[in-house]
Amino acid sequence: QEREANKEMVVYLIDASPRMFTPANAAKPDEKQETHFHTIVNCITQSLKMQIIGRSRDEVAICFFNTKEKKNLQELAGVYVYNVTEREQLDRPDARLIKEFSCVEDSFMNNIGSRYGITSGSRENTLYNALWVAQALLRKGICEDCE
């Protein structure tokens, strides 16, 4: 019971706007330049690996915002929940999730895509939407633990 009480639920929020796909650092012309998006994917992949090793009961959701496609229970625009299907609880990190997520960059633009055309005068705030989705995912996870 004590181990269950120490379980953490984590929602990773990732900005998927076009600026995240620009080089993260000024590299020399002959060096491969990593994007901000690539760096974030690597960091989350490492975090998931550590959760498997140290905290195997933790549960996670990976949520992109500023996306062209939407996939979330609230049907909010610009938010794509990567690994939690509708009406399902948060995932426990496993090898399948890590393998699939570490390769998300390869198919991201074809399957999910960045949301172009976001202007400062836009009424749509995808970060706000993502926070609502994250809050709902966490609340759902907590409520399911109470049953």
Side-chain angles (χ1 to χ4, degrees):
Q1 288 179 339
E2 185 177 317
R3 290 185 83 185
E4 187 68 25
N6 292 329
K7 176 177 79 171
E8 290 184 9
M9 290 181 278
V10 178
V11 177
Y12 294 99
L13 292 178
I14 304 168
D15 184 359
S17 63
R19 67 183 174 274
M20 295 303 290
F21 294 89
T22 60
N25 55 14
K28 296 177 184 172
D30 57 334
E31 291 180 357
K32 183 181 178 197
Q33 297 183 352
E34 290 186 354
T35 65
H36 300 288
F37 190 82
H38 178 79
T39 302
I40 289 169
V41 168
N42 283 341
C43 289
I44 292 174
T45 300
Q46 292 305 315
S47 177
L48 292 172
K49 288 177 184 178
M50 295 305 295
Q51 282 178 308
I52 288 176
I53 294 168
R55 304 180 60 98
S56 62
R57 302 205 40 88
D58 287 358
E59 296 177 353
V60 300
I62 301 169
C63 182
F64 296 104
F65 65 97
N66 286 326
T67 60
K68 181 175 57 180
E69 298 296 323
K70 68 179 176 184
K71 181 180 135 191
N72 59 79
L73 193 56
Q74 295 82 0
E75 291 292 317
L76 295 172
V79 180
Y80 189 95
V81 179
Y82 179 74
N83 66 314
V84 178
T85 58
E86 290 187 23
R87 311 236 188 292
E88 204 174 284
Q89 60 186 347
L90 301 179
D91 264 351
R92 285 200 175 130
D94 60 13
R96 176 200 52 81
L97 173 61
I98 291 171
K99 182 178 179 183
E100 288 175 6
F101 182 70
S102 67
C103 299
V104 71
E105 225 175 331
D106 299 337
S107 62
F108 184 85
M109 284 302 178
N110 291 334
N111 297 333
I112 303 168
S114 286
R115 185 174 180 151
Y116 295 96
I118 297 174
T119 61
S120 59
S122 174
R123 299 179 108 191
E124 197 71 54
N125 185 336
T126 59
L127 176 57
Y128 179 81
N129 290 350
L131 290 171
W132 273 109
V133 169
Q135 186 259 354
L137 287 165
L138 292 171
R139 185 179 41 205
K140 185 170 174 36
I142 291 169
C143 290
E144 288 186 6
D145 283 346
C146 297
E147 293 175 355

